Amino acid sequence: MKKLDVVNFLKGFSILTIVLMHYLDRLEGLPNVFYYAIDFGGSGVHSFIFLSGFGLALSHYNRPINNWLIFYRKRLLKVYIPYSIFVIFIACFNLFIPLYKDGLYALLGHLFLYKMFDNSIMTSYGYHLWFISTIIQFYLIFPLAITLTTRYKIRAFICSVALSLMWSYLVFISDHADERVWNSFFLQYLWVFVLGIYLAQLYFKDERNFHSIPLLLSIPLGILLSSIYASMALFGGNYGKIFNDIPAFFGYNLLALSLYNFNFRFLNQSLIKLNGFSYSLYLIHMFLLSLLIYGLKQINLSYNFGWFCVLLFILFPIAFRIQNLTNRFYKIIKL
């Protein structure tokens, strides 16, 4: 396996745990502890932001970006355009089958990106779409972030940690911990993004791999940090939930890296391939869940584990097909 296969593995692992979290979270009658364990899959968001910083920075170091307008154009075509088409499709679909209560104002909020400043529509047309706003914010600040991190190295990372902690504290004391506009603003995750940039710099200069951690260290440390995350989530209230990002990120990724380093060939290759259509998978998975639950309600049935399996069975081939069509479009425009 190539050294950077681990990046694609972690992206595939992250999107899988996020999908499983959203699908399992809608099952009813499970013990409360089980729901907290499911929510741990949401830490894949932290991993995705870290890997975005790592991937963007490594690409820049290998082929320096001289024209940032070209960078923004590429991000626009790869992220914003598919996202906009998807939201427009959902809004039109919603006129015939009312899965959501959202209307024109929410649709325009997605298209013109002002939803990231309006909590009433931040999660419109699908709760998971809040993440698109956050990742776009990181694309916007990437030129500044990589410039400062390249110049100041570890000091830039330390400053990013301080900024993220100060933002978290501000969100907590202002009583906005439950509002996505606040708890998902880029400053909340800035330290993860900058960490990715910093480790990409180390990898580019000295080929220092962030995943070369012995299993005897990564497994117990991953379990310990995951337990700290769980304790903060269970007993810390809003304070624990908003400040548990650090143990969640490291615990989650240490366990994921342990799985990668066990080198189960079929599993590793499957998750690497899954990364190839992860964006389409992320966009459509909640729409299919909402559609299924709506249909089940019409015939007085409930969403259960059997339907969860059916949903997974149809989700992956649909997402794969959509990504193939998207990739053909990219080839046409030579992106």
Side-chain angles (χ1 to χ4, degrees), residues 7 64 81 139 215 220 223 251 253 256 288 307:
V7 172
I81 298 301
Y139 291 152
L215 287 170
I223 293 173
N253 281 284
L288 293 181
W307 288 112

Side-chain angles (χ1 to χ4, degrees), residues 25-87:
D25 199 48
R26 295 300 294 270
L27 293 175
E28 298 179 358
L30 300 175
N32 288 335
V33 174
F34 190 74
Y35 288 113
Y36 281 108
I38 292 171
D39 287 344
F40 186 57
S43 298
V45 166
H46 300 82
S47 186
F48 238 99
I49 293 172
F50 162 75
L51 295 168
S52 294
F54 184 90
L56 290 172
L58 191 60
S59 177
H60 173 72
Y61 290 134
N62 281 308
R63 186 178 298 177
I65 302 169
N66 297 317
N67 188 339
W68 288 106
L69 289 178
I70 294 176
F71 167 79
Y72 288 128
R73 173 182 172 274
K74 188 173 182 179
R75 293 299 99 196
L76 174 75
L77 289 170
K78 281 211 164 186
V79 176
Y80 176 76
I81 298 301
Y83 160 63
S84 297
I85 292 172
F86 172 71
V87 175

Side-chain angles (χ1 to χ4, degrees), residues 16 19-20 23 307-317:
L16 180 62
V19 169
L20 292 177
Y23 282 8
W307 288 112
F308 160 79
C309 295
V310 170
L311 198 54
L312 287 181
F313 182 76
I314 65 174
L315 170 66
F316 294 108

Side-chain angles (χ1 to χ4, degrees), residues 235-289:
F235 308 113
N238 284 337
Y239 183 87
K241 290 177 183 177
I242 202 165
F243 285 101
N244 65 7
D245 284 358
I246 293 177
F249 169 77
F250 286 108
Y252 176 95
N253 281 284
L254 283 169
L255 294 178
L257 287 173
S258 299
L259 186 61
Y260 175 81
N261 288 325
F262 270 117
N263 201 22
F264 299 120
R265 187 169 181 177
F266 175 77
L267 177 63
N268 284 15
Q269 290 181 346
S270 297
L271 289 174
I272 288 169
K273 289 180 180 178
L274 181 62
N275 171 58
F277 57 98
S278 60
Y279 188 45
S280 61
L281 187 68
Y282 186 81
L283 286 177
I284 71 167
H285 78 281
M286 288 299 288
F287 168 69
L288 293 181
L289 175 62

Side-chain angles (χ1 to χ4, degrees), residues 120-186:
S120 67
I121 59 171
M122 181 64 162
T123 57
S124 56
Y125 291 116
Y127 182 82
H128 64 304
L129 295 180
W130 68 264
F131 179 70
I132 307 301
S133 295
T134 304
I135 205 67
I136 287 175
Q137 291 171 27
F138 278 115
Y139 291 152
L140 292 174
I141 63 112
F142 176 67
L144 177 62
I146 194 165
T147 299
L148 294 177
T149 306
T150 302
R151 179 178 298 179
Y152 297 108
K153 302 179 177 61
I154 190 66
R155 287 174 292 174
F157 170 64
I158 293 171
C159 288
S160 72
V161 173
L163 281 172
S164 290
L165 288 174
M166 285 190 290
W167 177 259
S168 296
Y169 182 70
L170 174 64
V171 171
F172 176 73
I173 62 173
S174 61
D175 202 26
H176 292 299
D178 291 326
E179 298 178 16
R180 272 295 175 194
V181 166
W182 289 78
N183 64 32
S184 298
F185 191 58
F186 82 92

